[in-house]
Amino acid sequence: MLKQLFIVIGLALLSFGVNAQSNQFSLEQCVDYGIKNNRAMKNSKIDMEIASSKVWETIAIGLPQVNANAQMQYFINIPTQLFPDFISPALYGILNGEGVRDSTGKIIPRRLPSGRYTPTQLGTKYNGSIGIDASMILFDGSYLAGLQASATYKKLSLNQADRTEVDTRVSITKGYYNVLVGNERIELLNANVARLKKTMDDTKALYENGFVERTDYNRLEVLYNNLLVEQRKYAQILGLGLLSLKFQMGMPLTDSLVLTDKLDKKGLQPSLERIDKVNYELRPDYNAALTAQKLNKLDLRRAKLSYLPSIVAFGSYSRNSPQNNFSDVFTGTTFPTTLVGIKASIPIFGGFKKYQQLHQAQLALHKSDNDLESFKNGIDMEAKSTQILYNSAVASLASQERNIELAKEVLRVAKAKYEQGLGSSLEVISAETSLKEAETNYIASLSEALAARVDMDRAQGLIK
């Protein structure tokens, strides 16, 4: 009993912590807690907010775009422009007698020197400007398709959040069942330890009175010590199972967790309903695949609409202050510039880029159609296979329960014969070993049946 006390204390310190908060949860409460606190669920909610923000980001592209601007320029060298020299050639002709006078007395040069230009600096050293410009898409097929795609992308994030919730429910449910099965395993081991301890004490009394040999007692003691080791091992496994369940729930590992539900073995009945086809829409992963297919359709539509013209309206207003003195930029005269306009871009030839994009979108849609059909077949196969595995696990569980009853009866007869001197301790030890093996197989079958039921419900879309 002292060893068992140490086991319980060690398990409590390992799983709950010294300053732990106590929580008593049913399976439903564990699932609800996990939906609110599981990290994957929190991230899925963040993804939904990101998707909603992306929708508004796409909408904003089509709203008026307004920008203010300010600029200050200082020309170290004022730009120079070359103007044709219309005056110097005439003077050159007069001075060199290379011209004649017309009726009005005007000198007409016989020859104008070529390449004569007058360099002229235009502008001021300083030029400050401040203004505002605006633009807005009037029509763009790609934008309209992108707007629809952003809303569909938001729906995809909702589908993925539903799938994450189902995954969370499944993992918590299986974790909860694992702990309950672990508790039952410990109860069976405790019963075995108590029963073997009594048998060992009775054998010791018989040995002390000379009715049995020392070897008979030693064999039972070896079996008893092995049971204590196994008891301690599964107590630690149970503690790890609790830690795993708290991790899946998003619960602090230092908090205690007491499970209030009991195993409902009556609910483990064979599934007699034949599953020919599943309602696919009950499966969030199927809805996610369906939404992904819709995104591919919208991408194909976007590629087609990219051949249409795009129309943008724009306008700007600014005031410029060209000055030769820096101080005059802020106090001198300013000159306004205002313009409005509409720009239409008509695609004519882009090196077959749009054609290739359209071709890729068509292939992606064909691929998503194939994937969706394959996914539906996979769901049907999963539903049927999980039903078969569940029925097999339930049948195996029933057989193991029957084996436990038979092993108990064999042990009872072996102990009765041994106490009456008609049997040997080896028969008792063999019967104890058979019972422990039957109980181990029963626990394994119970765990398998519970997990198979969860998998079957998930395959049929019943976990929401």
Side-chain angles (χ1 to χ4, degrees):
M1 294 301 294
L2 186 58
K3 289 184 178 180
Q4 295 181 24
L5 180 60
F6 287 152
I7 292 173
V8 173
I9 294 175
L11 177 61
L13 292 176
L14 175 64
S15 303
F16 306 147
V18 178
N19 299 318
Q21 176 184 349
S22 178
N23 298 291
Q24 294 187 350
F25 281 4
S26 64
L27 174 58
E28 183 178 356
Q29 289 172 327
C30 283
V31 171
D32 291 340
Y33 185 98
I35 297 301
K36 295 178 181 178
N37 298 279
N38 180 272
R39 296 297 183 271
M41 284 301 304
K42 289 182 177 181
N43 285 339
S44 68
K45 293 176 182 178
I46 293 175
D47 289 337
M48 291 171 58
E49 294 183 10
I50 292 174
S52 179
S53 179
K54 284 187 176 293
V55 171
W56 282 106
E57 178 186 359
T58 306
I59 293 174
I61 296 175
L63 299 178
Q65 309 294 310
V66 181
N67 297 289
N69 56 77
Q71 181 176 262
M72 170 63 71
Q73 293 178 316
Y74 170 66
F75 293 94
I76 298 176
N77 294 308
I78 298 175
T80 300
Q81 296 289 332
L82 296 178
F83 291 92
D85 193 345
F86 298 106
I87 300 176
S88 297
L91 293 176
Y92 176 83
I94 294 174
L95 294 175
N96 293 277
E98 296 183 359
V100 293
R101 294 182 182 274
D102 60 8
S103 59
T104 61
K106 182 178 179 181
I107 299 294
I108 300 176
R110 294 196 182 108
R111 172 175 66 84
L112 292 179
S114 61
R116 289 183 176 272
Y117 293 91
T118 302
T120 305
Q121 288 185 321
L122 299 178
T124 58
K125 282 188 172 294
Y126 296 95
N127 186 25
S129 66
I130 185 170
I132 187 170
D133 58 73
S135 64
M136 181 176 178
I137 297 174
L138 298 181
F139 176 80
D140 190 322
S142 297
Y143 168 72
L144 295 177
L147 197 61
Q148 290 181 314
S150 65
T152 305
Y153 175 76
K154 181 179 179 180
K155 183 179 179 181
L156 179 62
S157 70
L158 294 174
N159 297 145
Q160 291 172 340
D162 291 339
R163 181 168 58 184
T164 301
E165 181 174 340
V166 170
D167 292 340
T168 302
R169 289 180 179 274
V170 168
S171 62
I172 292 176
T173 301
K174 286 186 175 181
Y176 197 98
Y177 285 154
N178 284 338
V179 175
L180 293 184
V181 171
N183 284 330
E184 180 147 342
R185 184 192 296 270
I186 294 297
E187 291 177 3
L188 290 175
L189 284 172
N190 290 341
N192 286 342
V193 168
R195 183 180 61 251
L196 190 57
K197 181 68 166 59
K198 182 179 183 305
T199 302
M200 190 172 64
D201 291 342
D202 293 342
T203 303
K204 184 178 181 181
L206 292 174
Y207 162 69
E208 290 175 349
N209 290 301
F211 293 105
V212 297
E213 297 180 357
R214 175 73 181 181
T215 306
D216 295 334
Y217 174 77
N218 290 341
R219 291 193 185 103
L220 291 173
E221 187 177 14
V222 170
L223 185 60
Y224 178 76
N225 290 335
N226 289 336
L227 272 180
L228 290 180
V229 172
E230 190 172 356
Q231 184 186 49
R232 182 162 52 252
K233 180 183 74 173
Y234 283 111
Q236 293 172 347
I237 292 176
L238 177 60
L240 293 176
L242 282 170
L243 287 176
S244 176
L245 177 59
K246 287 188 284 187
F247 176 79
Q248 293 162 353
M249 293 169 56
M251 176 181 287
L253 299 183
T254 55
D255 289 357
S256 68
L257 179 60
V258 179
L259 309 188
T260 59
D261 285 357
K262 303 297 180 183
L263 281 175
D264 182 17
K265 301 173 190 176
K266 295 181 180 180
L268 295 174
Q269 299 296 329
S271 177
L272 302 178
E273 181 182 358
R274 180 177 176 180
I275 301 176
D276 293 324
K277 193 173 183 179
V278 180
N279 185 356
Y280 304 122
E281 294 181 357
L282 296 177
R283 294 277 299 259
D285 46 358
Y286 172 78
N287 291 327
L290 200 62
T291 304
Q293 182 195 45
K294 186 176 180 181
L295 282 173
N296 286 329
K297 291 180 179 179
L298 290 173
D299 187 52
L300 177 60
R301 184 169 183 266
R302 178 200 60 78
K304 292 179 179 179
L305 291 175
S306 66
Y307 284 95
L308 297 178
S310 61
I311 303 175
V312 177
F314 60 90
S316 68
Y317 173 80
S318 63
R319 297 193 71 89
N320 300 315
S321 179
Q323 304 292 338
N324 282 316
N325 296 317
F326 180 76
S327 60
D328 294 337
V329 173
F330 305 99
T331 59
T333 304
T334 60
F335 303 94
T337 301
T338 306
L339 67 88
V340 293
I342 294 179
K343 177 182 178 181
S345 297
I346 304 173
I348 297 177
F349 179 72
F352 301 105
K353 177 182 177 182
K354 294 182 183 295
Y355 171 77
Q356 295 300 332
Q357 290 176 338
L358 177 61
H359 185 57
Q360 292 173 29
Q362 290 172 336
L363 293 176
L365 181 58
H366 290 326
K367 184 179 177 180
S368 66
D369 291 340
N370 293 333
D371 290 342
L372 193 62
E373 288 301 317
S374 177
F375 194 73
K376 289 160 68 172
N377 290 334
I379 290 176
D380 292 337
M381 180 177 178
E382 183 182 359
K384 292 180 180 180
S385 61
T386 52
Q387 184 185 41
I388 293 173
L389 292 174
Y390 170 71
N391 288 336
S392 175
V394 170
S396 176
L397 178 63
S399 297
Q400 297 303 332
E401 288 178 329
R402 176 60 178 163
N403 286 342
I404 288 179
E405 296 302 321
L406 292 175
K408 287 181 178 179
E409 178 62 19
V410 170
L411 177 60
R412 185 190 68 80
V413 172
K415 288 178 65 176
K417 289 172 61 179
Y418 178 69
E419 291 171 355
Q420 296 172 7
L422 301 177
S424 66
S425 62
L426 291 176
E427 292 183 39
V428 176
I429 293 174
S430 177
E432 288 279 2
T433 304
S434 297
L435 176 58
K436 187 173 75 67
E437 182 179 354
E439 290 174 345
T440 300
N441 294 335
Y442 162 76
I443 290 297
S445 296
L446 178 60
S447 179
E448 181 181 350
L450 291 170
R453 185 175 69 178
V454 175
D455 290 337
M456 183 180 67
D457 291 343
R458 178 181 183 175
Q460 297 179 23
L462 302 179
I463 296 180
K464 299 180 180 179

